[in-house]
Amino acid sequence: MYIPKQVLIILKLLNQQGYEAYLIGGCVRDLYLNKLPEDYDIATNALPDAIMQVFAKFKLVLTGINHGTITVIIEQMPIEITTYRVDGEYLDNRRPEQVTFTLELERDALRRDFTMNAMAYHPTEGLFDFCGGQEDIIKKSIRAVGNPEQRFREDGLRMLRALRFAAVLGFSIEDKTKSSIILNCELLTGLAKERVQAEFSKLLLGLYATSVLLEFRQVLEFCIPELRQLKQMQYEKSIQALKNTAPKLGLRLACCLQALEVGEVKAVLQGLKYSKSIINEVTSILLAKELLIQTDKLRLKKALQCYGQEVLEHALSIMLASTLEACENIRIQKSVELLAEIIREKPCISLKSLAIDGQDLQDLGITQGKQIGEILQQLLLEVMSEQLVNEKSHLYLRAEKLKKDGNA
Ligand code: ATP
Ligand code: MG
């Protein structure tokens, strides 16, 4: 089991001062899955003040201190160290009102969401598996720690986390845990939207997102009620398409929400507190997709001008992923090829790359700003539609003609 040197140093320093310290949670699960953990969390019986003392010489980040978490930066690696704790009362299905520290590793493990996330590990002491997490990992089963009903009432987000882990790991949700999710999914409406967003995004990017979202449509609808208006066929089409798209957030969001109106999609994403740039990306992809329903070279160039290459490629990939009809598929494939050809040709699609500019037109005696603008736009359109070659001499001639004709 590979554990980074920085993590070993932290365990050693705490142990040397007489404290217990264990790797815990997601990183232990990932180590048992032979996956490289994204981050390493450490649980200890040292209280926050003691942690700060042990790591006084290191750079510390104290943003989580109210929950007993101190982040130590060691050789550029941030590692979260959290004092063993039991969560206090969950008064509103959101967050524990207070946390209480405990001296027992086992109690800290029991507050965690799923058995696979409740294991602790120490390089010399081995695995501490209080809830049968290892067996569940072998069975590929996501099982709540303790009574699922009670655990979901404490924190409704755990239901969405179960779906997220199923979507990422391809595990199935254990029967009792699953029926409890179905029974309690309305608790998802009361959660902080940022928390829902974080889990939903990870879910969407999962390799197994399609099967999870097909199975748990009603759960998703408590996160995104706008999906309720869709007919099953429309819903299935969008969700089936997910598995044929690259795991990029903007792309997957656009694919998942493609059956809604663009305005609605924007409202959904705003409601889930997505960033402006993601909202802009998703809505652009969906608008571009509408534009691409009919394509010829000029339309594609105009779309390229308006949305840029990446958005168009995403829009086309959603269209390809969503179509089941062979001839439709061939048509979209042709657009994909045409777009690739256009991009290879590096076409002139902006005034900037036109071989003539405002100054040149002034030299031709066109003095009015408005007329200069109109002529340049007309020249650009004719270049884009390949009626005109983007060379100075050709553009001059045409500009003169436009000037004479009073601007075409
Ligand atoms: P990832 O690899 O995606 O980070 P993770 O399991 O590490 O997955 P985190 O959100 O980083 O997920 O949480 C770290 C650990 O904290 C979890 O493994 C779990 O033990 C515990 N945990 C997180 N959220 C909850 C929750 N809502 N209820 C109970 N325990 C939780
Ligand atoms: Mg984690």
Side-chain angles (χ1 to χ4, degrees), residues 20 48 243 349:
E20 294 177 9
K243 63 171 184 276
I349 54 170

Side-chain angles (χ1 to χ4, degrees), residues 47-250:
L47 290 170
D49 280 346
I51 302 175
M52 282 198 274
Q53 251 171 16
V54 174
F55 297 99
K57 290 208 187 97
F58 293 81
K59 189 164 179 235
L60 304 178
V61 182
L62 302 179
T63 39
I65 191 123
N66 284 343
H67 293 96
T69 301
I70 289 167
T71 306
V72 179
I73 318 270
I74 169 164
E75 293 177 19
Q76 276 119 55
M77 185 178 195
I79 297 173
E80 286 191 358
I81 308 178
T82 306
T83 307
Y84 298 159
R85 57 174 230 225
V86 280
D87 291 338
E89 289 274 305
Y90 282 76
L91 292 183
D92 58 356
N93 299 312
R94 277 168 180 252
R95 275 270 183 225
E97 289 296 298
Q98 80 231 20
V99 298
T100 311
F101 298 132
T102 166
L103 290 174
E104 279 173 68
L105 173 64
E106 181 169 0
R107 293 191 67 199
D108 183 274
L110 294 178
R111 77 169 164 91
R112 291 170 186 272
D113 48 5
F114 303 107
T115 59
M116 64 181 181
N117 289 344
M119 303 191 296
Y121 181 80
H122 188 282
T124 55
E125 296 172 47
L127 181 71
F128 291 77
D129 181 6
F130 303 102
C131 323
Q134 202 182 3
E135 197 187 322
D136 283 332
I137 287 182
I138 292 166
K139 287 199 290 199
K140 298 191 171 203
S141 175
I142 299 166
R143 185 161 59 89
V145 171
N147 177 338
E149 194 81 15
Q150 185 192 336
R151 302 311 309 283
F152 295 150
R153 282 183 195 282
E154 281 172 2
D155 180 8
L157 191 76
R158 290 170 186 156
M159 296 182 284
L160 194 55
R161 284 173 62 83
L163 268 56
R164 182 262 272 201
F165 289 118
V168 172
L169 301 173
F171 284 19
S172 47
I173 302 175
E174 175 268 339
D175 284 349
K176 269 198 200 139
T177 306
K178 191 195 287 187
S179 36
S180 211
I181 291 176
I182 305 291
L183 266 175
N184 290 291
C185 53
E186 74 210 59
L187 290 174
L188 284 168
T189 44
L191 298 170
K193 300 299 177 202
E194 292 82 353
R195 299 181 76 208
V196 172
Q197 184 220 100
E199 295 299 334
F200 178 56
S201 297
K202 288 186 181 175
L203 191 170
L204 263 189
L205 294 177
L207 192 58
Y208 307 91
T210 291
S211 60
V212 172
L213 293 177
L214 288 178
E215 185 177 354
F216 293 96
R217 175 174 175 174
Q218 77 263 50
V219 180
L220 182 64
E221 286 173 348
F222 280 102
C223 303
I224 306 176
E226 288 80 353
L227 292 172
R228 289 202 181 112
Q229 64 188 286
L230 300 183
K231 298 207 175 77
Q232 184 60 17
M233 213 180 66
Q234 284 175 300
Y235 179 81
E236 274 180 22
K237 191 173 158 191
S238 309
I239 300 301
Q240 287 286 5
L242 277 181
K243 63 171 184 276
N244 298 320
T245 56
K248 293 185 180 166
L249 186 59

Side-chain angles (χ1 to χ4, degrees), residues 350-355:
S350 69
L351 291 180
K352 249 191 359 234
S353 43
L354 207 56

Side-chain angles (χ1 to χ4, degrees), residues 314-337:
H314 284 353
L316 286 168
S317 83
I318 293 177
M319 291 164 81
L320 264 187
S322 311
T323 180
L324 298 170
E325 288 169 40
C327 52
E328 178 73 359
N329 194 297
I330 291 169
R331 200 183 59 76
I332 303 165
Q333 198 64 55
K334 277 198 179 133
S335 299
V336 172
E337 281 158 24

